[in-house]
Amino acid sequence: MRLLHTGNLHFEEFYDAQIPRYAILSHRWGDQEVSFKEMRKPSVVPPGPGMAKLEGFCRLAAEHGFDWCWIDTCCIDKRSSADLSEAINSMFNWYAQAARCYVYLSDITFTPHELYLKTECEEERWLADGWPSLVARFQNSSWFTRGWTLQELIAPEVSNVYFFDGNWNGIGSLPQLETEISRITGIESNYFGYKSSRLYSRSFARADASIAKRMSWVSHRQTSRGEDMAYCLLGLFDVNMPLLYGEGAVKAFYRLQLEILKQTNDESLFAWAIGRSLHGMLAPSPTAFSGSNDIVQGVFGRRPPYSITNQGLEISIPSSHIFEGNDPKRQLLESNDEPENIDIFSNRIKRCVIYLDCHREKDPMKPLVIQLSQIPGMPLYRTKCDTLDQSELPSIFQNYTFQNLTQDLRDTTLVRVENPLKPIAESFDLMVHYMYLFEKFFYQDLVM
């Protein structure tokens, strides 16, 4: 980790246990930011907003007893792809390990009088009369709209985060402001940083939030480069991946979701909605999760593992099917042949409704469902992508004996059940307990 000395403004590299106590800055990039190359000779850096911000940060950190500090503008050598990749993959942990995090809101200012609480007895009156006028400006800061600042809010220990305006006037600490910040960001305050009352770090509390909920936190934020909408979420989901600037926002976000899939069975990753009529199982951007803040895990319990194949995503999931042609249930009931001799899947799937292992907080018995449809010559694709529906949990899933399934490699949309008569669903053409789905979503953009 490369740190900047708050006194002489010189850099020094530290590794692992050698890293000293340091302060870190969370801010929105502005004009004339000072680069690593320029800071190799700080005495010749021309004055400007970027240098003024850096000097103000170092001065504040030194006043609070810190010899070392970190700021992303100059502590990363962006000429080096290796240095940039290491920094972005490590940044969440660097914010989490900082002894102090200063949040600099350069686009808002307050007078000292506005921020001053004279006595404890006047605090209640001030919060009622004075604070509302400050909130109106506070919530309009662009810091709350940026993708990178999300991890800078979530990662540090709560008691170590302090907010400052554009003149470096102290606004307050995160514990003092967390109610308003929670309202502004849509993030419950128990997900901010570390919780001192817990034995373990808040990373456990963060993991309690479903993938869909965490995605919703960034759904209304923006980054200057499209790929950064995926890269700024690496720490939030505790994954690592190489940076490929130029791949585009959609491909970067697909790669992020693939990395998440490798280490979780949280199906809320598929609980999203967006305007286009046809998509794959994975969302094209975090915007698709804007309505997913209240989604939690837990309907069916443990699932078989997912796998990524050369044809796409393979997943086992409860589903109901509607077929073209003859009714396969009627075919089973009216035939005199043994069940294993009946090719009930000679009819192609027309539509498939699958039940995700997640639900809205207020409806724990109504799993979220998504609809897949068959396109001739292609795998199943998600349709009705503009809505995220709920459904009563079919009774068949509560007592259905698991059937061994085999994958028909000649047509990846077909699944065969070895003994499909145990049992037959009451109100569906056929209910299959688990189904293997293939989906060619990776790097694919289907336009309807």
Side-chain angles (χ1 to χ4, degrees):
M1 183 182 191
R2 182 182 295 115
L3 294 176
L4 182 68
H5 195 276
T6 57
N8 57 31
L9 301 184
H10 289 167
F11 293 113
E12 188 167 336
E13 299 275 354
F14 297 94
Y15 299 94
D16 301 326
Q18 299 177 344
I19 298 176
R21 291 177 70 254
Y22 62 91
I24 201 166
L25 184 68
S26 174
H27 67 114
R28 167 97 190 265
W29 279 49
D31 298 330
Q32 300 179 19
E33 296 289 0
V34 183
S35 68
F36 170 76
K37 180 181 178 180
E38 292 173 319
M39 283 302 295
R40 299 304 295 267
K41 296 181 179 180
S43 60
V44 298
V45 176
M51 192 61 187
K53 175 170 43 178
L54 177 60
E55 291 174 340
F57 170 47
C58 290
R59 182 170 55 252
L60 183 65
E63 290 174 356
H64 292 166
F66 292 97
D67 294 328
W68 299 98
C69 66
W70 190 91
I71 178 173
D72 55 358
T73 54
C74 64
C75 289
I76 304 172
D77 185 0
K78 298 172 185 64
R79 299 170 301 174
S80 166
S81 59
D83 201 61
L84 181 61
S85 180
E86 178 187 2
I88 289 180
N89 277 275
S90 304
M91 201 174 295
F92 190 95
N93 289 332
W94 289 350
Y95 275 90
Q97 295 165 7
R100 187 69 57 88
C101 177
Y102 300 120
V103 179
Y104 179 62
L105 309 181
S106 60
D107 53 350
I108 60 173
T109 56
F110 302 112
T111 66
H113 176 72
E114 289 177 308
L115 297 169
Y116 183 61
L117 296 179
K118 293 183 178 179
T119 63
E120 283 294 319
C121 63
E122 293 184 7
E123 181 174 352
E124 184 176 348
R125 183 177 61 81
W126 184 87
L127 289 174
D129 300 332
W131 176 238
S133 63
L134 272 67
V135 170
R137 277 175 284 166
F138 183 66
Q139 67 185 5
N140 289 330
S141 173
S142 60
W143 185 86
F144 294 107
T145 69
R146 310 307 297 172
W148 287 108
T149 57
L150 174 62
Q151 66 176 358
E152 297 163 13
L153 172 64
I154 297 293
E157 184 177 345
V158 172
S159 60
N160 291 340
V161 181
Y162 292 83
F163 288 78
F164 294 84
D165 71 0
N167 293 326
W168 292 103
N169 293 314
I171 301 173
S173 65
L174 181 52
Q176 293 172 322
L177 304 173
E178 65 178 10
T179 300
E180 284 301 327
I181 292 174
S182 178
R183 183 188 61 79
I184 294 168
T185 61
I187 304 172
E188 293 93 329
S189 59
N190 61 298
Y191 295 117
F192 294 153
Y194 292 89
K195 193 172 184 179
S196 58
S197 62
R198 288 196 177 199
L199 177 63
Y200 300 105
S201 72
R202 282 284 277 278
S203 62
F204 285 86
R206 192 175 69 252
D208 290 341
S210 69
I211 290 174
K213 178 185 281 288
R214 281 178 275 174
M215 287 290 188
S216 73
W217 296 343
V218 78
S219 61
H220 299 290
R221 294 174 178 254
Q222 299 175 339
T223 55
S224 298
R225 302 190 67 167
E227 297 90 343
D228 283 339
M229 282 305 296
Y231 303 158
C232 73
L233 297 175
L234 295 179
L236 192 64
F237 293 101
D238 196 21
V239 299
N240 299 99
M241 68 184 199
L243 311 184
L244 301 174
Y245 283 106
E247 66 177 324
V250 174
K251 291 180 181 179
F253 193 59
Y254 280 158
R255 283 204 301 128
L256 171 69
Q257 293 172 89
L258 288 176
E259 292 299 324
I260 295 172
L261 277 172
K262 292 178 182 179
Q263 61 180 34
T264 183
N265 61 355
D266 183 355
E267 291 172 11
S268 72
L269 178 63
F270 310 126
W272 51 268
I274 201 167
R276 284 180 54 185
S277 60
L278 189 65
H279 277 287
M281 287 285 284
L282 299 185
S285 75
T287 307
F289 292 90
S290 60
S292 302
N293 188 262
D294 63 339
I295 292 177
V296 297
Q297 302 182 62
V299 175
F300 299 108
R302 188 171 181 177
R303 296 274 210 238
Y306 310 150
S307 63
I308 306 299
T309 74
N310 63 335
Q311 298 189 51
L313 171 66
E314 181 180 345
I315 180 173
S316 302
I317 202 162
S319 57
S320 61
H321 307 244
I322 297 177
F323 294 86
E324 295 177 341
N326 296 327
D327 181 351
K329 181 175 68 173
R330 183 178 299 277
Q331 182 182 355
L332 286 169
L333 295 175
E334 295 179 354
S335 175
N336 294 323
D337 292 336
E338 293 296 322
E340 57 267 22
N341 296 327
I342 303 176
D343 186 4
I344 62 172
F345 285 92
S346 59
N347 300 291
R348 293 181 64 83
I349 296 175
K350 182 178 181 181
R351 182 166 59 87
C352 172
V353 177
I354 63 176
Y355 299 82
L356 300 177
D357 189 13
C358 57
H359 55 85
R360 301 285 183 183
E361 291 177 351
K362 295 182 179 180
D363 294 305
M365 296 308 295
K366 291 185 177 181
L368 296 170
V369 298
I370 58 177
Q371 179 175 301
L372 306 179
S373 296
Q374 177 70 51
I375 300 172
M378 303 184 73
L380 289 168
Y381 273 83
R382 182 175 168 185
T383 54
K384 293 183 65 179
C385 295
D386 57 339
T387 61
L388 190 58
D389 297 323
Q390 296 174 270
S391 173
E392 295 287 348
L393 183 64
S395 60
I396 190 171
F397 289 137
Q398 300 175 13
N399 55 16
Y400 190 13
T401 302
F402 179 78
Q403 306 291 336
N404 294 324
L405 302 181
T406 59
Q407 172 190 337
D408 186 343
L409 296 177
R410 291 168 297 175
D411 188 336
T412 58
T413 65
L414 302 187
V415 179
R416 299 186 186 277
V417 182
E418 291 184 356
N419 192 356
L421 281 181
K422 294 183 179 179
I424 294 296
E426 297 177 356
S427 58
F428 299 90
D429 289 328
L430 180 69
M431 181 69 70
V432 181
H433 193 195
Y434 284 93
M435 174 183 176
Y436 284 97
L437 301 176
F438 280 91
E439 189 221 358
K440 297 178 181 177
F441 57 82
F442 197 47
Y443 295 165
Q444 187 166 349
D445 186 17
L446 185 63
V447 179
M448 288 297 290

